[in-house]
Amino acid sequence: MPTVLTEEQIRDIQLATLRTQVDDCDRQIVEYLQRRMRLTDIIQRQKQEWGRPPHDAGREASVLSRVPKRLHGIYATIFAVSKEATGWTGI
């Protein structure tokens, strides 16, 4: 005789499945952020070698123009962490 699941059990399974998908997204986000940080480190070394200023407000504006407005706060944090990691002081 097959086991019959209750509505609550079905909802719990659905919720667990969705949370697993979110966890997968989080893993991918971390991988991409780590890759981004490695690339910005390389960019900063090149800029320093070439005598260019470390910060490019135009570049940040260009990036934000391609990002949905609701994610701008996340990108502000990404930019801040990147600047901190590369030693940019804002001076």
Side-chain angles (χ1 to χ4, degrees), residues 6 13 25 27 31 35 43 53 56 58 78 80:
T6 66
I13 291 169
C25 287
R27 276 189 286 283
E31 288 174 17
R35 179 175 177 219
I43 289 168
D56 184 345
I78 290 170

Side-chain angles (χ1 to χ4, degrees), residues 15-86:
L15 187 58
T17 301
L18 291 169
R19 286 181 172 155
T20 298
Q21 291 176 35
V22 168
D23 291 344
D24 290 342
C25 287
D26 288 341
R27 276 189 286 283
Q28 290 177 4
I29 289 168
V30 168
E31 288 174 17
Y32 280 114
L33 287 172
Q34 289 174 330
R35 179 175 177 219
R36 188 183 199 285
M37 292 298 291
R38 286 191 302 272
L39 291 168
T40 58
D41 287 345
I42 292 167
I43 289 168
Q44 286 306 315
R45 284 194 298 273
Q46 289 296 304
K47 285 176 151 184
Q48 186 175 19
E49 182 180 316
W50 297 334
R52 292 190 180 177
H55 178 65
D56 184 345
R59 171 67 180 156
E60 284 187 16
S62 173
V63 170
L64 288 176
S65 74
R66 297 187 306 267
V67 173
K69 192 140 185 93
R70 65 189 280 192
L71 299 179
H72 282 200
I74 292 170
Y75 269 80
T77 301
I78 290 170
F79 294 151
V81 169
S82 183
K83 289 174 190 173
E84 182 181 314
T86 59

